Each structure stands twice: as structure tokens, then as C-alpha cells.
Amino acid sequence: MQSTVSPGRRRFFVIWSLMMPVLMAIPVGVGFLFPQVRMVAMMTAIMVTLVIALICYGATTTRALSKWVLGVLLVFSVVPFMLGAGEVGPNLALENAGEPVEVRVTEVEREERPPSGNNSSPTVTYTYFFERLDGGPDPGVIVYRGDGGYDGVFEGTTTTLLVDPIGHLEPQLLSEVDSSSSLGMLIFGVIATGVTWAIGCLTYGPRV
């Protein structure tokens, strides 16, 4: 069977195969360079993930079956990559520099913003305020984005935060900081995305 894939398409496959690892490295690098701004790394990971997913999907899907199969494979590949890439740098930095501090939750502030633009659902955030049980300085606040908030963390409860003594890194719940898990998701996402891309390239287009 002879492939009908054009030389230009083959060239694009090769170029994108080389560019994709470079793009994947960007949010990881941002997380390690700017661990003090956790949301920047996550937003960069989201944007890079969208670019990779759209290009991989658009460049390799030509028939109904490939659209469904590669679409599902991409979702299960890029989501772990996104979460791992956005969290591994800040988590590792906080694990190395942070110290565990026992705190009490003094207030939980829920904010709900109405839908805007193409967003059909409201935006919900929870802001958690704490006081240290040892009487130390204010550890700062934690913002949870999404409905529901942290399980078991509500006003009056005690929990453990990882706090940077210098104050450069944002505090996080100790239970939420796990660089090993983030690294595992990152590695899985990179490998799975690469395999999905390879499958798309090998099965691209009609064959005669």
C-alpha cells in the first residue's frame, strides 16, 4: 500500500515532532524560574497544552474514526502533562524551602462571579485565611479556584501549611504539595502525548 501523504505534510510532521518537546519545556522552565507565582506556571501550561492539543489533533485527524480515537487519546495525554508541568517547579521549590506550620483557618471567603463571554458557568473561588498556632507572623492566604473548596478545610479547623520563611513562595496546604506526583504526571503526559502524536502521523490520511 502506497502512502498519499505529501512531502510537505511529512516535513511538517518532522518539524512539529522537534518543536513539541521545546514547547513542553516552556511551562516547566517557567515553574522553576518563577516558583513564587504558581499561577503563572499553570497558565503557561494551559496555553501550551491547548496549542499542542489543537495542532496534534488538526494535523493528523482526517477521518471520523481517527477524530474520535486520537481525540480521546489526546485528552488522556495532555491533561496529566498540563497538571504536572504547571505544578512540578513550584511544588519542588516549596518542598525544599518551606517549613511545616500548624495553623487554624480563621475565615473562608467564597466569591462567585457571573458567567461572562463564552463562559457559560460562573467562576467560583475560595480564599482561605489562617493564623499560626505558635503565634508567628501571618502565613498569608490560599486561593482555591473551583467550586467546593478543599475537602475538610473550613473555618475553625486546624491544618498544616508549608510556608516559605523568606516569604517568596506562596503557602500551600502540606497535603497538596507533592513534587513526586507532579513529576510522575509530567513524565506520563510527555510520553503519552508523544505516542499519540506518533500514532496520528503513522495513520494519517487515506492510503491506496
Side-chain angles (χ1 to χ4, degrees):
M1 298 174 68
Q2 183 179 3
S3 173
T4 60
V5 180
S6 67
R9 175 66 64 169
R10 290 198 192 97
R11 192 179 305 114
F12 171 79
F13 285 167
V14 173
I15 293 174
W16 180 241
S17 297
L18 298 175
M19 289 182 59
M20 192 159 51
V22 177
L23 278 177
M24 287 181 160
I26 292 176
V28 179
V30 169
F32 278 100
L33 290 173
F34 307 103
Q36 68 274 19
V37 191
R38 180 178 292 262
M39 185 50 59
V40 171
M42 183 55 69
M43 292 302 297
T44 305
I46 292 173
M47 289 187 290
V48 168
T49 299
L50 287 174
V51 170
I52 291 174
L54 290 174
I55 291 180
C56 288
Y57 184 78
T60 59
T61 54
T62 57
R63 290 165 288 186
L65 180 60
S66 66
K67 289 181 184 296
W68 280 101
V69 172
L70 287 177
V72 171
L73 288 176
L74 274 173
V75 169
F76 282 100
S77 302
V78 298
V79 171
F81 162 75
M82 178 185 70
L83 296 176
E87 293 182 350
V88 64
N91 280 350
L92 187 60
L94 191 55
E95 282 182 345
N96 290 333
E99 62 178 24
V101 174
E102 296 296 319
V103 298
R104 178 181 292 105
V105 183
T106 58
E107 183 182 354
V108 180
E109 184 179 286
R110 183 180 186 274
E111 180 181 3
E112 181 174 334
R113 296 180 180 177
S116 60
N118 296 326
N119 186 13
S120 59
S121 58
T123 301
V124 180
T125 59
Y126 290 81
T127 303
Y128 293 83
F129 298 84
F130 307 93
E131 65 175 2
R132 294 175 57 144
L133 297 183
D134 61 4
D138 180 7
V141 302
I142 296 178
V143 178
Y144 180 97
R145 292 170 175 83
D147 203 4
Y150 290 111
D151 291 336
V153 182
F154 45 88
E155 188 172 337
T157 60
T158 58
T159 186
T160 303
L161 298 183
L162 267 182
V163 178
D164 179 12
I166 303 177
H168 288 168
L169 303 175
E170 298 175 2
Q172 290 293 321
L173 295 175
L174 178 62
S175 59
E176 297 293 317
V177 180
D178 187 354
S179 61
S180 298
S181 175
S182 301
L183 182 60
M185 287 192 294
L186 173 63
I187 293 173
F188 173 83
V190 169
I191 294 175
T193 303
V195 170
T196 302
W197 169 246
I199 293 173
C201 292
L202 294 174
T203 59
Y204 172 81
R207 294 177 180 272
V208 297

